Amino acid sequence: MISRNYRIRVSHSDNSTWFLHLDAVSLADRGYYLCQINTVPPISRQGYLEVVVPPNILDEETSTDVEVNEDSPALLRCGAEGYPAPEIRFKREDGLSIRYAAKGRDGAVASNETRSVGGVEKTVGVLSFRTVTRTDMGHYLCIANNSVPPSVSKRMVLNVRYREPAVYVSHQMIGVYRGDDVAINCTVTAYPRPVVFWQDNLGKMII
């Protein structure tokens, strides 16, 4: 064995099977290794050692919470490194389908871009909305996977500021006997959280 690396050692069994041991394998150990029998002429075989790296989410390349106005563009970004190159995909945490762009209508477009950095592959995934709607608001998961376990994920929030609140009243008219109690229900959907108040038919606020 020709090596000055103390992490590398050789062992054998019954003088016919020899083993090359590498402790604490690093990316620098990736490459070809040669086994040679000192006959005349020498007989040799070589093999390649591939070093894989599980995916890791890069916080500096990944979006945190994103807040935009309704009908404005939005972009969710996620970066990961590993070897082989990680593949990044997005999914909604609530299990609903992402509104991807179809022919002739707006929606999200997903893309991945990969480059080599210091022996590992770095992938940046982007989920881009040309215009967001209130239905796009929610919690999203960025998932990085390169078939080397474990896959990793990071959660991000897309908040959409409503142009105007949506108001729903279940019954336009409610009948009740005089002296009975009654509850009138009004559902308001909006972001940011709206201030809701009631008025009587004279426009006076009910406290």
Side-chain angles (χ1 to χ4, degrees):
M1 181 181 63
I2 303 173
S3 175
R4 299 183 183 212
N5 191 331
Y6 294 104
R7 295 186 299 105
I8 301 177
R9 58 189 172 83
V10 168
S11 67
H12 64 88
S13 62
D14 62 32
N15 289 326
S16 62
T17 304
W18 292 72
F19 303 95
L20 179 66
H21 302 268
L22 290 87
D23 298 329
V25 172
S26 68
L27 291 174
D29 296 320
R30 180 185 293 157
Y32 286 97
Y33 289 80
L34 182 72
C35 169
Q36 180 173 290
I37 303 173
N38 292 326
T39 56
V40 180
I43 301 172
S44 62
R45 291 287 186 273
Q46 71 174 7
Y48 189 84
L49 173 66
E50 183 61 277
V51 180
V52 297
V53 181
N56 176 51
I57 299 285
L58 302 171
D59 290 338
E60 66 275 11
E61 296 278 359
T62 303
S63 302
T64 51
D65 293 354
V66 176
E67 186 170 310
V68 294
N69 291 325
E70 197 170 6
D71 295 329
S72 297
L75 186 143
L76 299 178
R77 179 183 173 92
C78 183
E81 64 180 5
Y83 192 90
E87 179 183 356
I88 293 177
R89 64 185 180 92
F90 293 87
K91 67 176 291 188
R92 289 184 62 130
E93 193 176 53
D94 56 13
L96 297 177
S97 298
I98 294 176
R99 187 179 59 93
Y100 284 107
K103 189 175 181 180
R105 68 181 181 88
D106 285 339
V109 176
S111 63
N112 275 223
E113 182 179 330
T114 300
R115 68 180 188 273
S116 296
V117 179
V120 297
E121 301 290 325
K122 182 177 177 181
T123 301
V124 176
V126 172
L127 185 66
S128 176
F129 296 84
R130 194 169 75 172
T131 57
V132 294
T133 68
R134 58 190 66 183
T135 60
D136 297 319
M137 184 163 66
H139 296 84
Y140 288 76
L141 291 174
C142 150
I143 302 169
N145 179 36
N146 66 350
S147 299
V148 182
S151 61
V152 290
S153 64
K154 184 169 182 179
R155 183 178 186 248
M156 56 191 73
V157 181
L158 175 61
N159 288 318
V160 179
R161 292 187 289 266
Y162 285 33
R163 284 193 312 273
E164 57 187 21
V167 181
Y168 172 74
V169 178
S170 57
H171 297 89
Q172 294 292 326
M173 180 178 292
I174 299 174
V176 62
Y177 288 107
R178 185 172 59 181
D180 284 354
D181 297 334
V182 65
I184 304 173
N185 180 53
C186 173
T187 303
V188 180
T189 305
Y191 183 85
R193 184 183 180 95
V195 176
V196 179
F197 58 91
W198 293 83
Q199 292 177 330
D200 60 19
N201 61 339
L202 299 176
K204 184 180 178 181
M205 186 183 298
I206 301 172
I207 304 300

